[in-house]
Amino acid sequence: MQPAVLRPGFSDPPVQSAHDRVYRGLRLQVMHGELLPGTALTLRGIGKSFDVSMTPAREAVRRLTAEGALTMSASGRVATPELSNERIEELASIRALLEPELASRALRRAHLALIGRMESINEANARAVHRQDAVDYIRTNLEFHRTLYLRAQSPAMLGLLETVWLQLGPTMRALYARLRRTAAPPHHRLILEALRAGDDAALRLALRTDVTQGLRHLAVYPGEARA
Amino acid sequence: MQPAVLRPGFSDPPVQSAHDRVYRGLRLQVMHGELLPGTALTLRGIGKSFDVSMTPAREAVRRLTAEGALTMSASGRVATPELSNERIEELASIRALLEPELASRALRRAHLALIGRMESINEANARAVHRQDAVDYIRTNLEFHRTLYLRAQSPAMLGLLETVWLQLGPTMRALYARLRRTAAPPHHRLILEALRAGDDAALRLALRTDVTQGLRHLAVYPGEARA
DNA sequence: CATGCGCAAATGTGATCACAAAACGCGCCG
DNA sequence: CGGCGCGTTTTGTGATCACATTTGCGCATG
């Protein structure tokens, strides 16, 4: 609303612009599954919740729509995407294409500290499962994967993958609500073992199955099929 | 400028919004290599050239920046991307990952009419080479590939690939100016033959080599290395 | 009770403006 | 002759406003 004097002295975060704050905030909400598929958003509402005018809200939405994190109806209404089964399977196969490649590239540069960090994230993930905390489950699961892929030193490929995660965010949340998972993701241990062994083929396979297993059951049941 | 009464009766193109016109226009310019790497753009300039105010220009730029078609400096200056060698190679390997997959998916649905259309596009491509027309060369080359991939019925994967093409647009143009290609792309014939033969492995290989051959020489020479 | 009409509220779009920061150029000084 | 500083211009940002469209709800009607 008001000019919002952006903390004159401080510079810890390099003073991000208003639309960037909105962008990052919405992006995390979508990626972590805080919003269910089909959730409607309004520019004025977004602006109000981030305490900015419509202008930065519109830019953030435009950006997120370009990444597939949000959809816009013909009349400009904004909502989180409701994916068809075909689309879900397609996005899963893109993950199955990109993630083994990223993991393989990371393998050469992986060191023990990295594996240790992944194990600790995996434990947090298991706790989220036990706590039945869908958002935290998704968040730690993605963090587990991203921690590995960051080592691949392939920013463009990782960026592409993140847009895929973004598109799947609300749907992943909906899935979690459906299957009430009781056990931790079973393939993370295989990933860690392959990493320790330096086994490229096993690592690729572990990721492919982790990704497709997690999403194969995402498909909506026939009765609730969506356009 | 003025309210622009959007052709009351006509509906051939479903009356696109102003920012969409700007978006599409800029997108084509970038993807087809009409702008060299590092070309600076201004919101007011874009607005003027499309006869709209800054607002739709900003939204179009935001969208294109999200797709990697444009870059924004910390101060918000907009320009076409100047890719590092590492980035070029990474984007090439992404193409090498996605395009054989799309081609393989298209193979099952390919029919003779499709191959015929691709041959005719390929001839236009050869004419562009003979004419030394860089933009038309890039345009017909992408059209050749896209015509095939459309048959894959994998909109998400194709969308991802198009953002990669978008990022490479200006660089492809710069390359063309450097190597003064005299012969048509050599692997298109292999692609067509594999399609006719229904040979999946040969098709994948033909695409992988077409994509990497075309881009392997894109790397900037040491003397002109970029950050 | 279901259905359709119509009005009021809500919403996205684009133009315009004020402002701060950055970029640029010109002239001064060493 | 080269580098530096200062003022002008350019440029992006965000707020606000008017407007057209759409949405949604309530009421009247069959």
Side-chain angles (χ1 to χ4, degrees):
Chain A
M1 296 307 196
Q2 61 269 43
V5 61
L6 287 169
R7 302 191 308 163
F10 286 70
S11 63
D12 287 3
V15 194
Q16 50 195 347
S17 57
H19 101 262
D20 218 49
R21 255 186 328 115
V22 179
Y23 167 75
R24 277 197 244 275
L26 282 179
R27 183 184 143 98
L28 285 185
Q29 285 185 39
V30 172
M31 191 182 289
H32 294 166
E34 294 175 38
L35 278 43
L36 288 173
T39 304
L41 300 175
T42 66
L43 296 183
R44 287 172 176 85
I46 293 168
K48 187 155 298 187
S49 75
F50 286 90
D51 197 52
V52 295
S53 81
M54 298 172 56
T55 313
R58 236 197 307 183
E59 295 188 37
V61 163
R62 210 52 96 179
R63 210 168 146 188
L64 288 164
T65 301
E67 300 181 87
L70 298 174
T71 62
M72 286 185 64
S73 75
S75 68
R77 272 356 201 260
V78 183
T80 51
E82 306 188 59
L83 305 181
S84 66
N85 283 355
E86 296 75 30
R87 182 56 70 107
I88 293 174
E89 284 172 22
E90 198 193 340
L91 291 171
S93 66
I94 294 174
R95 287 192 64 181
L97 211 56
L98 293 181
E99 303 206 23
E101 176 67 22
L102 279 164
S104 171
R105 290 180 177 216
L107 178 57
R108 303 163 215 170
R109 313 179 204 258
H111 50 266
L112 286 180
L114 176 75
I115 298 177
R117 214 161 346 123
M118 289 176 65
E119 281 176 329
S120 117
I121 296 171
N122 198 32
E123 286 161 18
N125 183 250
R127 284 193 295 274
V129 170
H130 183 260
R131 220 183 319 122
Q132 301 269 30
D133 184 334
V135 171
D136 210 52
Y137 166 72
I138 295 173
R139 193 180 57 73
T140 51
N141 190 8
L142 294 183
E143 199 180 336
F144 178 84
H145 286 250
R146 178 167 27 226
T147 299
L148 175 58
Y149 304 149
L150 271 175
R151 267 299 181 288
Q153 305 278 45
S154 303
M157 206 177 293
L158 181 53
L160 239 48
L161 176 61
E162 295 220 9
T163 72
V164 175
W165 288 349
L166 214 39
Q167 294 178 49
L168 284 169
T171 301
M172 293 209 291
R173 164 61 174 278
L175 160 77
Y176 189 92
R178 173 173 306 124
L179 60 70
R180 280 273 159 244
R181 187 194 281 281
T182 55
H187 299 287
H188 282 192
R189 303 230 71 88
L190 288 180
I191 294 171
L192 289 167
E193 282 171 23
L195 273 177
R196 269 188 289 260
D199 186 338
D200 187 85
L203 182 61
R204 294 186 105 107
L205 180 62
L207 268 149
R208 172 173 281 268
T209 56
D210 181 58
V211 162
T212 51
Q213 282 303 319
L215 285 169
R216 190 150 303 276
H217 303 98
L218 257 179
V220 193
Y221 297 135
E224 345 171 302
R226 299 192 175 101
Chain B
M1 293 311 197
Q2 62 269 45
V5 62
L6 288 169
R7 302 191 306 163
F10 286 72
S11 63
D12 286 3
V15 195
Q16 49 195 349
S17 59
H19 101 262
D20 218 48
R21 256 187 326 115
V22 178
Y23 168 76
R24 278 197 242 277
L26 281 178
R27 184 184 144 97
L28 286 185
Q29 286 185 37
V30 172
M31 191 183 289
H32 294 167
E34 294 176 38
L35 278 44
L36 287 173
T39 303
L41 300 174
T42 66
L43 297 183
R44 287 172 176 86
I46 293 168
K48 187 153 298 186
S49 75
F50 285 90
D51 198 52
V52 295
S53 81
M54 296 172 58
T55 313
R58 237 197 305 184
E59 296 188 36
V61 163
R62 207 56 93 179
R63 210 169 148 187
L64 289 163
T65 301
E67 299 181 87
L70 298 174
T71 62
M72 285 185 64
S73 75
S75 67
R77 280 343 208 270
V78 183
T80 51
E82 307 187 59
L83 305 181
S84 67
N85 283 355
E86 295 76 29
R87 182 57 69 108
I88 294 173
E89 284 172 22
E90 198 193 340
L91 291 171
S93 64
I94 294 174
R95 288 192 63 181
L97 212 54
L98 294 180
E99 304 207 21
E101 176 67 22
L102 279 165
S104 171
R105 291 179 175 218
L107 178 57
R108 304 160 214 172
R109 312 178 204 259
H111 50 266
L112 285 181
L114 176 75
I115 299 177
R117 213 160 350 121
M118 288 175 65
E119 280 176 329
S120 117
I121 295 172
N122 198 32
E123 284 161 19
N125 183 251
R127 284 194 296 274
V129 169
H130 184 260
R131 222 183 318 120
Q132 301 269 28
D133 185 334
V135 171
D136 210 52
Y137 166 73
I138 296 173
R139 193 179 59 72
T140 51
N141 191 8
L142 294 183
E143 198 180 339
F144 179 84
H145 286 249
R146 177 166 30 226
T147 300
L148 175 57
Y149 304 150
L150 271 175
R151 267 299 180 288
Q153 304 279 45
S154 304
M157 206 177 296
L158 181 54
L160 239 48
L161 177 61
E162 295 219 10
T163 72
V164 175
W165 287 349
L166 215 39
Q167 295 178 48
L168 285 169
T171 301
M172 293 209 291
R173 165 60 174 279
L175 160 78
Y176 189 92
R178 174 173 306 125
L179 62 70
R180 280 272 158 247
R181 187 193 280 282
T182 54
H187 299 286
H188 283 191
R189 304 229 71 87
L190 289 179
I191 295 171
L192 290 168
E193 283 171 22
L195 272 176
R196 269 188 289 260
D199 185 339
D200 187 86
L203 181 62
R204 293 185 107 108
L205 181 62
L207 269 147
R208 170 172 280 270
T209 54
D210 181 57
V211 161
T212 52
Q213 282 303 318
L215 284 170
R216 189 151 302 278
H217 303 98
L218 256 178
V220 193
Y221 296 133
E224 347 171 301
R226 300 190 176 102

